[in-house]
Amino acid sequence: MALFTQELRKIWRPAVLGAVLLLGLLYYYLFPSFYIDYFCNGPTAQASFDLAAGWVEQYGPTMEPEERQELDGQLVGEIAAFSQQIQAIPEAADRGLESFEAFQTYHDAYYAQARANGGQADMEEEEFLWKVMNNTNYFLIRELDNYMVNYDWKGETPWNQQEAFAAATPAQQGRILTLETAPRGFLPECVTDSTVEYAKDLAVWIVLSTVLLLSPTLVRDRLHRTRALQWSSRRGRKVLHTQLAAGLVSALVFSLASLALYAIPFLGKGPLRFRACPLFNWCRGDFTWFSLSYGQYLLLLVGMLLALGLAAGGLTLFLSQYSDNYVAMLLKAIPLFLVVGAFAGTWLLDRPGYFRPWTENGTTPVPPDGPFLILATLLALTLLLCAWTCRRQRRREL
């Protein structure tokens, strides 16, 4: 146990840890912080979030047909509130706009005229329109109306007659028909989008930080000829087992710490109020292979991130023992980060469990468990390489 603790101290050196944390702070403000600052990116997304948050409190995690009928009354109430709010805008009164219907007609006529003029905008009119929309519940009314229209259309039109169904594979078609009879969730698009993008950036950071934390350890031993001293006794040969164990534990602990720190600003945006909501949104076309709630999906992403960090740690340790100096390790660490973090990490965390193709513009679909099998294979390969290294070490001649 004392040897294990000593190896942990060699890994968690204050100078290395401080440099990694400083880089992590810079990385956060350059990349993931965008999805915190713009968790609901724009007034339309914010209106969708606010509507869904109210429905969760009133109806629970799903919107049943009888509950949908109550939304007609909600729409009437919001339109009445708009009529009160627009009265506080003098420019609207000057134009004789006192109701939502009147403003919407004015809004549509302006943009129709702008299109007819080749897209030329009247800045004064633009400013007026946005002043009304930003100071009333206009976006909420539009999102509510769009949701009701889509809900009714999906309920009245059999899914096997829709365009997405005809373009799907037989396996996907079977899943779509299952989703048609599943509970009708309404998880906001901005929540799932921000969650996935945030997780992708976090995957890159976990791999990068793990590689930086573990790369110097075994290389430092070679530079100080520590390995030669250990090699002089049979007991010393087993130090590599302890070093690999300490490295894997460090990779897991640092990944957990990164997850905890990144979770604080993310959870501060309130996504957990939708934790019981089905991941599949009834009114959207993003189909899911698994019947998970949003909370369960978060746990799935956490597990994938930890597995990715562990795999990155094991591969770093495996490569570092074959590096005679820091430059040689750097030449191995860069491609390792690019392959495991920038490429594999972002691909694996890009909506796992959803219908999606192998490439951005491809047509061949990823199997339901494809990302999970790839990650499991990567982790198994990592552990196999570490085990093979230990076995090879024991069998070498003095």
Side-chain angles (χ1 to χ4, degrees), residues 79-343:
I79 290 176
F82 179 92
S83 299
Q84 296 294 324
Q85 295 165 357
I86 199 173
Q87 293 179 11
I89 303 175
E91 296 89 341
D94 295 341
R95 292 169 172 81
L97 304 177
E98 299 179 350
S99 66
F100 178 80
E101 293 79 5
F103 176 76
Q104 188 63 54
T105 300
Y106 186 90
H107 173 280
D108 295 343
Y110 165 75
Y111 281 106
Q113 183 63 36
R115 287 192 296 271
N117 293 335
Q120 185 175 0
D122 183 328
M123 299 310 298
E124 182 179 348
E125 287 298 307
E126 289 275 349
E127 182 179 356
F128 162 70
L129 292 174
W130 280 102
K131 182 177 181 179
V132 172
M133 292 187 290
N134 288 330
N135 290 279
T136 62
N137 59 348
Y138 174 83
F139 292 106
L140 191 144
I141 293 174
R142 290 300 303 269
E143 280 300 293
L144 176 56
D145 183 62
N146 288 337
Y147 177 82
M148 293 165 58
V149 170
N150 287 328
Y151 188 102
D152 294 342
W153 181 78
K154 296 237 179 216
E156 296 169 358
T157 306
W159 288 34
N160 59 7
Q161 296 180 14
Q162 297 179 17
E163 183 178 355
F165 186 89
T169 65
Q172 290 175 332
Q173 290 179 351
R175 178 58 183 166
I176 291 172
L177 293 178
T178 300
L179 290 171
E180 185 175 21
T181 60
R184 303 184 177 188
F186 48 81
L187 185 65
E189 180 179 5
C190 61
V191 173
T192 53
D193 286 350
S194 293
T195 299
V196 169
E197 295 299 329
Y198 196 68
K200 288 165 61 178
D201 282 347
L202 181 53
V204 174
W205 165 246
I206 284 178
V207 173
L208 176 61
S209 60
T210 301
V211 170
L212 293 176
L213 181 67
L214 298 181
S215 290
T217 306
L218 298 183
V219 179
R220 189 185 303 115
D221 283 356
R222 293 177 70 92
L223 289 175
H224 290 84
R225 302 179 184 273
T226 305
R227 181 69 66 212
L229 295 175
Q230 295 169 344
W231 196 253
S232 63
S233 69
R234 293 189 179 276
R235 182 180 294 273
R237 292 187 178 191
K238 297 181 180 180
V239 172
L240 182 60
H241 299 64
T242 306
Q243 289 178 321
L244 292 178
L248 292 175
V249 169
S250 296
L252 187 60
V253 169
F254 200 86
S255 298
L256 279 170
S258 296
L259 278 166
L261 291 175
Y262 271 65
I264 294 173
F266 179 77
L267 297 181
K269 292 298 181 177
L272 285 185
R273 68 185 68 189
F274 304 109
R275 60 187 177 277
C277 291
L279 186 63
F280 174 66
N281 186 326
W282 167 265
C283 290
R284 291 187 61 193
D286 295 337
F287 301 107
T288 58
W289 284 111
F290 309 106
S291 299
L292 298 175
S293 68
Y294 175 67
Q296 292 170 331
Y297 193 65
L298 286 179
L299 293 177
L300 177 65
L301 295 180
V302 167
M304 294 182 68
L305 288 167
L306 291 178
L308 189 65
L310 192 60
L315 291 173
T316 302
L317 293 169
F318 174 76
L319 293 175
S320 64
Q321 63 178 314
Y322 298 106
S323 302
D324 293 327
N325 52 64
Y326 293 123
V327 175
M329 184 58 215
L330 180 63
L331 294 177
K332 297 180 179 70
I334 292 175
L336 174 63
F337 161 69
L338 293 176
V339 172
V340 179
F343 176 71

